[in-house]
Amino acid sequence: TQVVITVGRGVHGFTLDREIGNFVLTHPDIRVPEEGSEYLINASNRRFWEPPIVRYVDECKAGQEGPRGKDFNTRWVASMVADVHRILLRGGIYMYPRDQKEANREGRLRLLYEANPMAMIIEQAGGAASTGRGRILEVTPERLHQRVPVILGSREEVARVDRYHAEYDRGEDKPYSSPLFGERSLFTNA
């Protein structure tokens, strides 16, 4: 049994020592690695994801032969606490993104009592926590059970997903394609 806490000055893990019946500091000053090679997401919802999430996961799945040039592992325990604990210790990214399964929902996880506590822990450990379009801890609550997308983990991985959302929102993420010319245009022979 482990308790991971922050009081706004780093993150520390305490493990229950059953012999003495007390929690002992076993993981002082936990730091999320800047990069990671694991992504945690519920892949069964892929058909409902926004294009930036599909792009990120497809790049990870492509491994060494893909644009990232390295192999990734995927995991999904389906328990946010267990999945985020893994990210805290090993790095990588945890995603419960906005999807179109229920189009009127902004996300699946509750801002006040699911997203914010985990975002606080991850950020205090040197990671990042985002909705894909902004920092989770900067979302102003409007309702008690308000839901938000959650993307958190290694700073570099979260920044990449944020960048993909920004490119998608600006319409910059799609390569030029023409049904008549394919990748070429009328004016180039490339």
Side-chain angles (χ1 to χ4, degrees):
T1 304
Q2 190 174 68
V3 174
V4 175
I5 66 167
T6 183
V7 292
R9 302 182 118 209
V11 176
H12 308 284
F14 296 82
T15 304
L16 177 63
D17 183 335
R18 294 182 193 279
E19 296 288 319
I20 63 173
N22 213 344
F23 284 89
V24 178
L25 177 63
T26 54
H27 295 78
D29 196 29
I30 298 171
R31 302 298 296 168
V32 176
E34 287 289 314
E35 292 183 2
S37 59
E38 294 191 18
Y39 63 99
L40 290 71
I41 190 166
N42 183 354
S44 69
N45 288 330
R46 185 182 198 286
R47 66 189 183 280
F48 302 113
W49 295 340
E50 290 184 292
I53 299 298
V54 172
R55 176 182 174 190
Y56 179 84
V57 171
D58 285 351
E59 286 181 358
C60 291
K61 286 171 62 176
Q64 282 189 332
E65 293 76 32
R68 300 290 303 273
K70 69 177 187 176
D71 290 328
F72 287 80
N73 291 320
T74 185
R75 298 282 186 267
W76 181 255
V77 175
S79 163
M80 185 182 195
V81 172
D83 286 335
V84 172
H85 185 263
R86 182 180 191 94
I87 295 300
L88 270 173
L89 300 181
R90 299 173 57 115
I93 190 167
Y94 169 89
M95 296 179 285
Y96 213 129
R98 180 178 185 189
D99 62 41
Q100 298 303 313
K101 187 184 287 186
E102 294 181 48
N104 61 335
R105 277 194 183 167
E106 285 295 308
R108 306 281 299 165
L109 299 176
R110 281 92 173 173
L111 174 64
L112 290 176
Y113 49 91
E114 292 173 325
N116 274 344
M118 293 300 168
M120 175 80 168
I121 289 171
I122 288 291
E123 286 190 5
Q124 285 295 309
S130 172
T131 65
R133 292 178 171 90
R135 191 170 162 247
I136 289 174
L137 293 176
E138 291 179 355
V139 175
T140 303
E142 297 171 4
R143 298 174 308 284
L144 179 61
H145 304 294
Q146 178 179 346
R147 296 170 188 262
V148 294
V150 174
I151 299 159
L152 52 79
S154 296
R155 190 168 291 284
E156 295 295 322
E157 298 303 314
V158 173
R160 179 179 294 270
V161 174
D162 283 351
R163 188 174 77 243
Y164 289 177
H165 276 87
E167 290 171 3
Y168 174 73
D169 291 346
R170 291 189 306 262
E172 298 172 358
D173 67 332
K174 299 193 183 335
Y176 174 78
S177 101
S178 165
L180 183 57
F181 298 105
E183 295 291 321
R184 301 181 308 163
S185 79
L186 180 60
F187 304 105
T188 64
N189 287 331

